[in-house]
Amino acid sequence: MAIAGVDNEAGTPLLSKTVDGSVDYRNEPAVRSSSGGWRSAGFIIGVEVAERFAYYGISSNLIMYLTGPLGQSTAAAASNVNAWYGTASLLPLLGAFVADSFLGRFRTILAASALYVLGLGLLTLSAMIPSDCKVANPLTSCSPPRFQVIAFFGALYLVALAQGGHKPCVQAFGADQFDEKDPEECKAKSSFFNWWYFGMCFGTLVTLWVLNYIQDNLSWALGFGIPCVAMVLALVVFLLGTSTYRFSIQRESRSAFARIGNVYVAAVKNGSVSASVVADAEESLGLISHSRSQQFGFLNKALVGTNGCSLDELEEAKSVLRLAPIWLTCLVYAVVFAQSPTFFTKQGATMERSITPSYKISPATLQSFISLSIVIFIPVYDRVLIPIARSFTHKPGGITMLQRIGTGIFLSFLAMVIAALVEMKRLKTAADYGLIDSPDVTVPMSVWWLIPQYVLFGISDVFAMVGLQEFFYDQVPSELRSVGLALYLSIFGIGSFLSSFMISVIDKATSRSGQVSWFANNLNQAHLDYFYWLLACFSFIGLASYLYFAKAYVSKRINTL
């Protein structure tokens, strides 16, 4: 291709005019001046705003729908929310695999968007089925029509499948619009992750103030139907930017999955090979013997033999394996993160929520303070804190990605401590006013007591969530970046399943012999404070483990990709 040549008229390398490794929608070399960058990222961030508006239009208030129109208990509803959220966060692994191995990110986004519209449409129809369960009441139970339950959960998991294809590909496709070999675009890409999250939280913020009110006070069908319309508009916006996008091209004939899998298979086959033979293979390939090359040294056996892998393939396999300790130690953060749309929301429903004599804030709308703190803090972080840190550390991001993640985990630990203290006060207030056996009476304690834990969650997300996104995008092979972002999302999927498992086990263990469960339907008799203290302890242990592995982490080798 002419990329490597010289423009004789201008006398400048064509590399400055076209982007290596990218093509435009006509499959021609992408011209830097007319493709990619913020012009394309703007379309993609706009799509993310609409998608998050739709997604949180379901997830943020889901526990209220399950305990209301579907008549489920608090513990069962919380487990179902966590199970759905966990599935929605794990399915991006499937979506990323399909995108990186077969369809490509652009086509996968189109297919996922179509599924999204279908799922939201069916969800709206299921909510229109007449039901006797209209308002959640902790003292009574009801059975909605079986067809409604089947239709609702079928549509719900169809949305999860659509989100699995949409989430990792849209973000990776957005980051692909910036050339990491260009100094200015490389810096812009780091800001992209911040502003991506800003846009995402803006969409969430609108959801929590508008849709939650509609769902709680007007109509669940309308509350689900509006996100369906939003996704149709998102698809249109995405298509409008087609002529500006950069599309990454695959450099190898074999997929990255095949190359990495070949390394693991070869290492197992050569398991009996002696260390001296491996050393000879390393020396013949020019592999320098230092701590980095010897990390996961058992994989070096894949270099042996006529069909041995190359050094680049070996490094790809190791770069993926190095992520495992960070992935594992962030799971507790994900468990903590799962509490805001479930028990935090149920707490708020018991407290005084009046803003005016005629208006009460929806319990789920309290989650907007997470988004609001993110929307306020990200510009401060990106435009003030990072430049200050950059002047001291001389790092493009101000602080390292691992330092950013660790800060977020620490803040989530503080959030759980505060949540436990606030719940202790709520229980004491209920006892002081004789409301232990009156769950249908509002506890005379302002819901604003919950705001600090929501705000801390938001600031924690700016550090940990955005840091994890950039880390898992940056530290995997370039052809697996959708998978890298899916791995980041899978942390929250597994974390939600762990939260669901913990809730089920604790609920059974604490309700034996006539005792009141920590998660009793009557929250005035329950003990969410015990659960929050338990999570705070786990969070502290998780932070200590994370710091240990983060200190030992070896960043991937910098290649000219």
Side-chain angles (χ1 to χ4, degrees):
M1 273 192 326
I3 294 176
V6 174
D7 184 344
N8 292 326
E9 293 183 9
T12 57
L14 285 178
L15 182 61
S16 63
K17 291 188 176 182
T18 58
V19 181
D20 187 25
S22 296
V23 296
D24 61 18
Y25 71 104
R26 295 168 297 188
N27 205 34
E28 296 178 358
V31 178
R32 189 180 303 277
S33 62
S34 61
S35 70
W38 285 110
R39 99 174 37 81
S40 299
F43 283 104
I44 299 170
I45 289 176
V47 170
E48 179 65 7
V49 171
E51 190 274 335
R52 290 293 90 182
F53 174 80
Y55 179 78
Y56 280 100
I58 299 169
S59 65
S60 63
N61 214 18
L62 183 57
I63 193 168
M64 300 305 293
Y65 186 80
L66 294 178
T67 55
L70 291 194
Q72 295 188 347
S73 68
T74 299
S79 293
N80 277 325
V81 171
N82 284 325
W84 177 76
Y85 184 79
T87 302
S89 298
L90 284 177
L91 282 173
L93 289 171
L94 174 62
F97 172 75
V98 171
D100 287 348
S101 298
F102 303 106
L103 294 181
R105 289 162 194 162
F106 181 77
R107 292 187 183 91
T108 303
I109 293 168
L110 294 180
S113 297
L115 274 180
Y116 230 128
V117 172
L118 177 61
L120 289 168
L122 293 175
L123 202 65
T124 303
L125 292 175
S126 73
M128 296 173 67
I129 299 173
S131 172
D132 294 331
C133 306
K134 295 297 182 184
V135 181
N137 187 331
L139 298 180
T140 62
S141 60
C142 58
S143 300
R146 184 173 182 82
F147 176 74
Q148 182 184 23
V149 175
I150 295 173
F152 176 80
F153 279 101
L156 193 66
Y157 278 89
L158 185 59
V159 169
L161 178 62
Q163 200 258 178
H166 199 279
K167 186 65 176 174
C169 297
V170 173
Q171 189 171 11
F173 190 61
D176 288 344
Q177 306 308 308
F178 299 92
D179 181 11
E180 59 188 11
K181 289 184 291 185
D182 180 274
E184 291 302 316
E185 290 198 22
C186 183
K187 187 183 295 185
K189 187 179 79 172
S190 182
S191 288
F192 166 77
F193 284 97
N194 290 328
W195 291 105
W196 168 273
Y197 207 61
F198 177 91
M200 185 182 81
C201 292
F202 180 79
T204 305
L205 192 61
V206 175
T207 296
L208 295 171
W209 279 98
V210 178
L211 282 186
N212 289 162
Y213 178 82
I214 292 173
Q215 291 166 350
D216 287 343
N217 297 280
L218 299 178
S219 165
W220 281 100
L222 182 60
F224 291 145
I226 293 174
C228 183
V229 175
M231 277 309 301
V232 172
L233 295 176
L235 181 57
V236 172
V237 170
F238 182 69
L239 289 172
L240 287 175
T242 301
S243 62
T244 73
Y245 297 147
R246 294 173 184 171
F247 301 83
S248 296
I249 56 177
Q250 188 171 328
R251 296 176 176 275
E252 300 282 347
S253 58
R254 290 188 302 165
S255 72
F257 284 100
R259 297 196 303 272
I260 292 172
N262 181 62
V263 172
Y264 293 132
V265 170
V268 172
K269 287 183 177 179
N270 295 335
S272 60
V273 172
S274 65
S276 60
V277 174
V278 176
D280 290 340
E282 293 173 348
E283 185 177 355
S284 65
L285 292 173
L287 185 63
I288 301 174
S289 180
H290 55 67
S291 58
R292 179 180 178 82
S293 64
Q294 294 307 311
Q295 187 181 31
F296 305 123
F298 63 91
L299 288 180
N300 290 2
K301 293 180 179 182
L303 299 171
V304 177
T306 55
N307 295 321
C309 68
S310 67
L311 289 180
D312 286 339
E313 291 171 342
L314 177 65
E315 183 55 32
E316 282 184 333
K318 287 187 176 183
S319 69
V320 173
L321 197 56
R322 289 188 186 106
L323 298 174
I326 303 299
W327 187 93
L328 285 169
T329 53
C330 287
L331 286 177
V332 177
Y333 172 77
V335 173
V336 170
F337 180 82
Q339 306 316 310
S340 61
T342 53
F343 291 129
F344 283 14
T345 300
K346 292 297 291 183
Q347 276 179 278
T350 69
M351 302 168 73
E352 177 55 53
R353 296 179 281 114
S354 297
I355 295 180
T356 68
S358 60
Y359 177 75
K360 285 186 177 182
I361 188 173
S362 169
T365 301
L366 293 173
Q367 296 171 58
S368 66
F369 287 95
I370 297 177
S371 301
L372 185 61
S373 61
I374 291 170
V375 167
I376 293 173
F377 188 69
I378 278 184
V380 175
Y381 179 85
D382 192 71
R383 300 302 180 187
V384 180
L385 297 183
I386 290 303
I388 293 174
R390 192 180 291 144
S391 66
F392 289 99
T393 64
H394 305 293
K395 298 180 182 295
I399 58 177
T400 67
M401 291 176 280
L402 291 173
Q403 288 170 340
R404 184 172 184 171
I405 295 166
T407 302
I409 296 174
F410 173 71
L411 291 174
S412 71
F413 160 72
L414 291 182
M416 291 316 301
V417 171
I418 291 175
L421 293 173
V422 170
E423 177 61 5
M424 289 174 65
K425 178 173 176 56
R426 192 192 69 82
L427 291 174
K428 184 176 184 303
T429 302
D432 291 344
Y433 283 84
L435 301 177
I436 296 297
D437 297 316
S438 303
D440 54 334
V441 178
T442 300
V443 176
M445 176 178 171
S446 174
V447 76
W448 304 121
W449 277 89
L450 298 177
I451 301 306
Q453 64 203 55
Y454 281 109
V455 171
L456 269 178
F457 260 43
I459 298 175
S460 170
D461 283 357
V462 173
F463 285 95
M465 193 78 76
V466 182
L468 283 167
Q469 290 173 9
E470 187 173 1
F471 177 78
F472 278 90
Y473 176 88
D474 183 75
Q475 294 296 301
V476 296
S478 59
E479 293 176 31
L480 288 180
R481 282 173 169 168
S482 294
V483 173
L485 289 171
L487 284 171
Y488 134 74
L489 290 168
S490 71
I491 293 174
F492 297 92
I494 297 297
S496 292
F497 282 124
L498 288 175
S499 177
S500 181
F501 175 75
M502 288 176 63
I503 291 169
S504 297
V505 171
I506 293 172
D507 184 49
K508 290 180 180 179
T510 58
S511 59
R512 291 176 179 173
S513 302
Q515 296 179 348
V516 178
S517 166
W518 286 8
F519 313 115
N521 289 347
N522 181 354
L523 289 189
N524 296 340
Q525 295 179 349
H527 272 293
L528 291 181
D529 54 331
Y530 294 172
F531 184 56
Y532 292 160
W533 282 120
L534 180 64
L535 290 182
C537 292
F538 284 153
S539 186
F540 183 81
I541 295 170
L543 175 61
S545 303
Y546 170 83
L547 293 175
Y548 173 81
F549 286 109
K551 185 177 180 180
Y553 183 80
V554 181
S555 181
K556 79 171 186 180
R557 183 177 60 191
I558 299 176
N559 294 311
T560 54
L561 300 175

